[in-house]
Amino acid sequence: MKKNRKNLALLLLAASLLAGCAGQSNSQSSQSSQAKSEKKAESKASSKSAAKSAASSAVSSSAVSSTKSSSSQASSKSAASSSQRADVNRMGTLTSQLRVKLPGMLLPAADGLGQGSSNLNIRYTSSSSQNVVYYSVGNSPLALNDSRIASEKPYAVLMEKKNVADASSLINYQEPKTGLPAVKIASNVTGTEEGAAGSTYLQFNQGQWSFVVRASNVQGQKPLPTAQKLLALYQQYGLPDTAAKSSVQVDVGESLGSLNTVITWAKGSSVYQLKAHSMETAFKMLKSLK
């Protein structure tokens, strides 16, 4: 009986020890799982924090880049605006000086250039019978009438003949031609065409002005495209007021120093003539004449 009780007690003790070990094992396992969960949570929080930090850094970098870009664009626009003002001021400054030297002469306020205005140079000659002004573009801006300007090719030359008794002899106005082949220049403008001495002449008239375009047959030139452009420029810019019949003569082909456009008109007792390397330059300059 006593032996049975001892055996029972030993069994109970063994069971108690096994239960304790199992509980401790479960507790350790639970603690390990909890630790792993905490580490995962910390890792996720750390990743989110890093992502937020990276996003914030990217936004900040983008903002700085955008600010720099805007600043650069503003600087470029400011520089371009300053350059344009400098170009306009150069023509204005030189023309103001010319008005003092050549009082009473009509002068253009615009240089008529598409580029090169910052290096615009002007020289002039004057006598009791005429004034001549030469416009050119050099390698650098020079003072009015600097001796070095004489070596530059002028892109335009404006001349005033004073106290002219017979303006018609200088202007070379052409009366409308009859009996020649008709050429349609625009829907409401028709000219006439004739050939002579290896050239073809296309003429049309508008108001007090005669327009003649000469094309070289040897070079295979055609006068019509140039005549159409000439008419368009006249309709866009107009020409100086003149009481006398006046003329525009153009040789096909434009190049620096060619002076292929010649416009001649009368103003009071003076006869003016502008020669230019391109039709558009001539019309732009005459539009600003005062």
Side-chain angles (χ1 to χ4, degrees), residues 135-261:
Y135 297 84
S136 60
V137 174
N139 294 321
S140 61
L142 300 172
L144 179 68
N145 247 25
D146 188 294
S147 60
R148 289 170 289 179
I149 301 174
S151 63
E152 298 175 355
K153 276 187 176 182
Y155 71 84
V157 178
L158 178 63
M159 180 180 67
E160 177 194 17
K161 289 277 190 180
K162 306 176 188 177
N163 304 313
V164 176
D166 181 15
S168 61
S169 63
L170 297 174
I171 292 175
N172 196 30
Y173 172 83
Q174 300 292 308
E175 294 288 349
K177 301 289 195 301
T178 58
L180 293 173
V183 177
K184 189 174 184 179
I185 299 171
S187 59
N188 59 343
V189 179
T190 300
T192 56
E193 187 175 88
E194 65 178 324
S199 298
T200 299
Y201 295 85
L202 178 54
Q203 177 185 332
F204 62 96
N205 292 60
Q206 295 283 287
Q208 293 280 79
W209 293 84
S210 68
F211 300 80
V212 178
V213 176
R214 185 188 75 85
S216 169
N217 297 336
V218 175
Q219 296 180 37
Q221 297 173 339
K222 302 295 180 182
L224 182 57
T226 298
Q228 291 172 329
K229 182 180 179 181
L230 176 58
L231 176 61
L233 288 168
Y234 169 67
Q235 292 173 338
Q236 179 180 357
Y237 293 101
L239 284 168
D241 292 333
T242 176
K245 293 180 177 180
S246 301
S247 69
V248 179
Q249 296 173 296
V250 177
D251 283 353
V252 174
E254 298 180 350
S255 61
L256 182 61
S258 63
L259 305 179
N260 281 348
T261 296

Side-chain angles (χ1 to χ4, degrees), residues 6 16 25 67 69 74 103 105 131 141 143 201 215 239 252 254 279 288:
K6 284 182 181 180
S16 177
S25 176
T67 301
S69 177
M105 181 179 180
N131 297 322
Y201 295 85
L239 284 168
V252 174
E254 298 180 350
M279 294 185 292
S288 68

